[in-house]
Amino acid sequence: MSETRDKIGFIGLGRMGRGMASNIRRKQHPLTVHDIAPGPVAALEALGAASAPSAAAVAQASDVVLTMLPGPREVQGLILGTGGILDNIRAGGVVMDMSTVDPETTDALAAACAARGIGFVDAPVGRLAWHADRGESLFMVGASDADFARVKPLLEAMGSTVHHCGGPGTGTRTKLVNNYLAIILCQLNAEALSLATAFGLDLEKTLEVLHGTTATNGQLKVNWPNKVLAGDTEPGFAIDLAHKDLSLIVQAANAAKVPLPVAAIAREAFSSARARGFGQRDFSAMLDAQCDLAGVAPPRLGGAK
Amino acid sequence: MSETRDKIGFIGLGRMGRGMASNIRRKQHPLTVHDIAPGPVAALEALGAASAPSAAAVAQASDVVLTMLPGPREVQGLILGTGGILDNIRAGGVVMDMSTVDPETTDALAAACAARGIGFVDAPVGRLAWHADRGESLFMVGASDADFARVKPLLEAMGSTVHHCGGPGTGTRTKLVNNYLAIILCQLNAEALSLATAFGLDLEKTLEVLHGTTATNGQLKVNWPNKVLAGDTEPGFAIDLAHKDLSLIVQAANAAKVPLPVAAIAREAFSSARARGFGQRDFSAMLDAQCDLAGVAPPRLGGAK
Amino acid sequence: MSETRDKIGFIGLGRMGRGMASNIRRKQHPLTVHDIAPGPVAALEALGAASAPSAAAVAQASDVVLTMLPGPREVQGLILGTGGILDNIRAGGVVMDMSTVDPETTDALAAACAARGIGFVDAPVGRLAWHADRGESLFMVGASDADFARVKPLLEAMGSTVHHCGGPGTGTRTKLVNNYLAIILCQLNAEALSLATAFGLDLEKTLEVLHGTTATNGQLKVNWPNKVLAGDTEPGFAIDLAHKDLSLIVQAANAAKVPLPVAAIAREAFSSARARGFGQRDFSAMLDAQCDLAGVAPPRLGGAK
Amino acid sequence: MSETRDKIGFIGLGRMGRGMASNIRRKQHPLTVHDIAPGPVAALEALGAASAPSAAAVAQASDVVLTMLPGPREVQGLILGTGGILDNIRAGGVVMDMSTVDPETTDALAAACAARGIGFVDAPVGRLAWHADRGESLFMVGASDADFARVKPLLEAMGSTVHHCGGPGTGTRTKLVNNYLAIILCQLNAEALSLATAFGLDLEKTLEVLHGTTATNGQLKVNWPNKVLAGDTEPGFAIDLAHKDLSLIVQAANAAKVPLPVAAIAREAFSSARARGFGQRDFSAMLDAQCDLAGVAPPRLGGAK
């Protein structure tokens, strides 16, 4: 298959990227990596990857370049900047950006790639870092059918769920909509459970009722019982990151003239949580931030603290 | 069993109450009913129930009196008012109120019953009118263990799910928390899907993604595909009623000094929907109200309009 | 003049009412008062007022009965209740309610008075307790022209500004609109000055700029420099009372299907301030509640603490 | 005086800039201008100004360079970009940016200027375009004392009110705080007057009451009677621009971890107004957008439409 012969470049070996790149290498794809931190680079070399001293060098060595970067600024700089990836990638190449960025940035990347005859795929990542480590990430992919077919083996090496959402730009947009719901649910559940606590209701019985009606939701059912309700607020996804995503969402919605009153007010709740020192806790800990405001003790399951 | 020997009174044969009372009668409980509307009374008589000309007369004829009334005002008047149920019920009797009321009203009822040695149960109803017709309602019950045991056969005649949430008052409070989540989810989903629509995303693909993450929720998964997304906005639960419940919730939360910013702002979204003529549509039609504000066409599944 | 011959009754000698009644007596109007607290009654007797043992007794002794009560519940009970003011007032009498109540309550009073041929005036009070002491209150009056002419000398005894807003009910409604603006301005200014503080701006210079543009407002210019910005948070008007007024306003607006997103969200800010212990401080201390959330020190003028 | 000998450069002759530059020229300051639009350049030449073909050329010809540009992107590009103003301005020069930008951009400009020994002043403009035409603008100035003294004659040529708020960066921040208040007041007043209208109150009488209490504010007292309440919604300051400013403010506040719930929700009200076609109307027309949502006719003074 042509895909397996593609030489792959991977730029950005952060907390998520290192696991993702490792899983590509484990499937024997030829891989060249780059990051400014030497540790993750060495770890990938130990798995048989080559390393390159710059994004440009990765691009020169690769047919398909994957980027997993902190945000829009880095993405624009490394891909579109002078001497960047687009200036160095081979004809017939593909750029696949998996960073979480705003739709404007994704559209600018797609347009710049199209103008040079380079394929472009936006494939932001769902789920958490430990999913990435295990090759169990979820991808929301915006790509032409041809580009999607080409990167599919890579996505399947890194993840267990791959959604082809439509053409370029739809991956980023679908992720924003998805994260909007998942993040705001934390504030919604926080309000509901702080009220239940102030009402003196039993947590287990309340959850039993909620899960039997249309009030139930993925955060309350799947994430919370293992995190804040179990007394674990170590970040699977930190409030600071959730706030950053909400900011992208509100900005994109305002650009699209879609009023999002609940999102806007929830973002301020996250801002307030950050100001009060909750920024580095798991986003389910919005429960603790809300209970702090309401003057009630945060509820916990069973013997959890 | 002692329960089956209790004579049952039922006051309030509205859209929900008539089905509930019918199911009690179908289980052969001795039943006396009252309503100001003659039609539902005649229908119950046809099932073998007796009728009485007033709430007081029902109370005199019954051991256990059930009330299913429009709101706090009617509940207080009929139960606590001069010449009302409490003035006429037998010693050893039980009052079970199934209306949706605020916690203050429920607490006042519980206290007045306790002061006279009458049992009190608050058992607000979940699910929709057609569930009540089929005996498939859900009940959130606040009662002492003894009172709960006594009314349990009645609840099981009317519903398929019965939660004993704790002592008197916990049924009403659990319902408020549950409805808070279920109702606000409508605004949350409305914002998410209006944004997806403005982004040009495909509805089916977007839902497929959302249902595979913690973004999913009972409204989006269970209610919406059969209602607004199928083009059916006939009210299973009307926006006007959702607004009324939200008003109770916000009032109760403010009384408890629990700030609920998302609930408060969502209530205004429901208020705005009512002002624009959406009050008598299903609460999933908050999607249409939101899309109207955002200037996009409300999305529908498949060929639905 | 006919007005001076009217015998006046005054019910409710709370913090505001005692000053108001005293000023009526100082203008030599024949006055009968009632309150459950003996102290203020004795003080009025010392000014030459008679006292009566009940609201009914006041009504029997008076041509014009003034009420200044805590809220809708007391107003409805004392005026409309069995054996209350309406049951005892003379033909040709007038009831003037100066309590802060919701429009529904005012409309119910007006209708009940009209049905019995009794005049009705709603005249809620503006400004603070110390204005009432000095006869410098502001009144927003809803009354027919004839009733207004009859109570005008009383209003002028109690206040220095009297607005005849329209027919019965317009006084209460104008007060809600006025208090909406005055109260929400406190949250608005709190947000602005907390941001200025986080920005490291000089308070005096910032105020100088704001007062020279359309950003200025009565709270920031008149109330705040003497209260929170001077380090004085003793309540002229407490956050708890502001929260109560906001609750009336939001309820009335929802009943009128007028969405008030800013009012709704500000009410939750007041709720949060109450939960965190600011309820008994002046409503300008919303600045301190907001700065507490933002993690900045509340700004003060000059050497104020 | 040394100031009058400075050669002045002015870049950005838009709706505001052309008036401002004209007033500098009218005071006989030696002036070189640049804009991409030929019309305004010709108009300035007619007043005796020189023109230059690029920002770089203006910088080379000037001691003090003034910029009045659409937003952060243009400001960063023209001042900090390769071959831009900073690369070409003389030693001992000063850059004064009068554009409305975010604090991060201003701080980046100040730091870059400081690193090269160039003075930096941020002096965003208050009031409207017709004030700029008449030399009656208001300036909020962030500058060292020395730089402020140097640019003061220029500011006094362009405006009638000049506030020296503190060091570099304080001008931009003060403007954000000021515009926050002025803009949100429009939504606040819109909610109040839509409620008054739904209540059936008389507009003139309501305003008379409000202006006599702490509810009054600069928008309601100064701007609105000449704009929306007079039936004139031609933009002195358009809703689209107000939305843009609010977005800057909310972004800056979130960066500073200052939660601004009222600002956030008001921004969505502006977003909703834009989606419904009000973007190009005066920001006082938030009244019309709000009345549209509430289903009431927007109130007008006297015979205005």
Side-chain angles (χ1 to χ4, degrees), chain A residues 165-183:
Chain A
C165 302
T170 59
T172 286
R173 286 175 169 85
T174 299
K175 172 152 185 179
L176 289 186
V177 171
N178 183 76
N179 283 20
Y180 163 76
L181 273 173
I183 292 170

Side-chain angles (χ1 to χ4, degrees), chain A residues 174-196:
Chain A
T174 299
K175 172 152 185 179
L176 289 186
V177 171
N178 183 76
N179 283 20
Y180 163 76
L181 273 173
I183 292 170
I184 309 274
L185 280 172
C186 289
Q187 173 64 15
L188 196 59
N189 294 333
E191 294 191 9
L193 294 192
S194 69
L195 185 59

Side-chain angles (χ1 to χ4, degrees), chain A residues 9-248:
Chain A
F10 198 112
I11 299 165
L13 303 173
R15 180 66 193 88
M16 299 282 285
R18 67 190 69 167
M20 294 158 69
S22 300
N23 284 307
I24 286 179
R25 183 58 208 137
R26 287 189 188 106
K27 297 281 179 153
Q28 309 302 326
H29 294 279
L31 181 65
T32 305
V33 303
H34 171 68
D35 196 277
I36 50 173
V41 171
L44 263 294
E45 286 176 327
L47 290 172
S51 72
S54 68
V58 171
Q60 288 163 3
S62 308
D63 303 297
V64 178
V65 178
L66 282 55
T67 48
M68 184 65 189
L69 298 164
R73 192 180 305 248
E74 293 82 2
V75 165
Q76 287 203 313
L78 281 180
I79 300 180
L80 301 182
T82 309
I85 293 168
L86 259 190
D87 279 356
N88 286 282
I89 195 167
R90 308 172 183 182
V94 172
V95 171
M96 176 159 76
D97 182 41
M98 302 177 295
S99 320
T100 297
V101 298
D102 56 289
E104 282 185 32
T105 296
T106 294
D107 291 349
L109 295 178
C113 287
R116 303 198 190 193
I118 301 294
F120 176 76
V121 177
D122 53 306
V125 190
R127 300 185 186 146
L128 307 175
W130 64 264
H131 294 102
D133 291 339
R134 300 186 187 182
E136 297 176 358
S137 292
L138 176 152
F139 290 95
M140 292 155 273
V141 187
S144 69
D145 287 348
D147 287 338
F148 180 70
R150 193 159 168 197
V151 297
K152 200 178 173 195
L154 304 173
L155 293 165
E156 291 175 343
M158 296 184 286
S160 54
T161 310
V162 178
H163 294 287
H164 186 193
C165 302
T170 59
T172 286
R173 286 175 169 85
T174 299
K175 172 152 185 179
L176 289 186
V177 171
N178 183 76
N179 283 20
Y180 163 76
L181 273 173
I183 292 170
I184 309 274
L185 280 172
C186 289
Q187 173 64 15
L188 196 59
N189 294 333
E191 294 191 9
L193 294 192
S194 69
L195 185 59
T197 303
F199 277 170
L201 298 177
D202 179 82
L203 177 60
E204 273 85 355
K205 287 184 182 168
T206 301
L207 290 178
E208 187 190 334
V209 172
L210 298 178
H211 290 323
T213 78
T214 56
T216 193
N217 58 77
Q219 281 295 320
L220 194 61
K221 192 149 194 178
V222 178
N223 191 36
W224 283 38
N226 299 310
K227 298 299 297 178
V228 70
L229 294 179
D232 174 8
T233 60
E234 287 300 305
F237 187 64
I239 284 174
D240 277 342
L241 288 176
H243 177 264
K244 187 185 124 191
D245 273 18
L246 271 183
S247 298
L248 282 178

Side-chain angles (χ1 to χ4, degrees), chain C residues 192-193 196-197 200-212 220, chain D residues 165 174 177-178:
Chain C
L193 294 193
T197 303
L201 298 177
D202 179 83
L203 177 61
E204 273 84 355
K205 287 184 182 168
T206 301
L207 290 178
E208 187 190 333
V209 172
L210 297 178
H211 291 323
L220 193 61
Chain D
C165 301
T174 299
V177 171
N178 183 78

Side-chain angles (χ1 to χ4, degrees), chain B residues 73 104 240 243 247 250-251 253-255 257-262 264-265 267-269 271-272 274-275, chain C residues 73 104 240 243 247 250-251 253-255 257-262 264-265 267-269 271-272 274-275:
Chain B
R73 191 182 304 251
E104 281 184 33
D240 278 342
H243 177 264
S247 298
V250 171
Q251 174 190 335
N254 270 274
K257 294 188 183 178
V258 176
L260 296 188
V262 164
I265 213 63
R267 184 207 196 188
E268 298 307 309
S271 177
S272 166
R274 295 176 74 218
Chain C
R73 191 181 304 250
E104 282 185 32
D240 277 343
H243 177 265
S247 298
V250 171
Q251 175 190 335
N254 271 274
K257 294 189 182 178
V258 176
L260 295 187
V262 163
I265 213 63
R267 184 207 197 187
E268 299 305 310
S271 178
S272 167
R274 296 175 73 218

Side-chain angles (χ1 to χ4, degrees), chain D residues 24-63:
Chain D
I24 286 179
R25 183 59 207 137
R26 287 190 187 105
K27 296 280 178 153
Q28 309 301 327
H29 295 278
L31 180 67
T32 305
V33 303
H34 172 68
D35 195 276
I36 50 173
V41 170
L44 264 295
E45 287 175 327
L47 290 172
S51 71
S54 68
V58 170
Q60 287 162 5
S62 308
D63 303 297

Side-chain angles (χ1 to χ4, degrees), chain C residues 198-290:
Chain C
F199 277 169
L201 298 177
D202 179 83
L203 177 61
E204 273 84 355
K205 287 184 182 168
T206 301
L207 290 178
E208 187 190 333
V209 172
L210 297 178
H211 291 323
T213 77
T214 56
T216 193
N217 57 77
Q219 282 294 321
L220 193 61
K221 192 148 193 179
V222 178
N223 191 36
W224 284 37
N226 298 311
K227 297 299 297 179
V228 70
L229 295 179
D232 174 8
T233 60
E234 287 301 304
F237 187 64
I239 284 174
D240 277 343
L241 288 176
H243 177 265
K244 187 184 124 191
D245 274 18
L246 270 183
S247 298
L248 282 179
I249 292 159
V250 171
Q251 175 190 335
N254 271 274
K257 294 189 182 178
V258 176
L260 295 187
V262 163
I265 213 63
R267 184 207 197 187
E268 299 305 310
F270 278 79
S271 178
S272 167
R274 296 175 73 218
R276 288 177 289 133
F278 292 90
Q280 281 304 308
R281 300 198 196 171
D282 187 64
F283 70 154
S284 63
M286 286 304 292
L287 176 63
D288 297 353
Q290 162 74 6

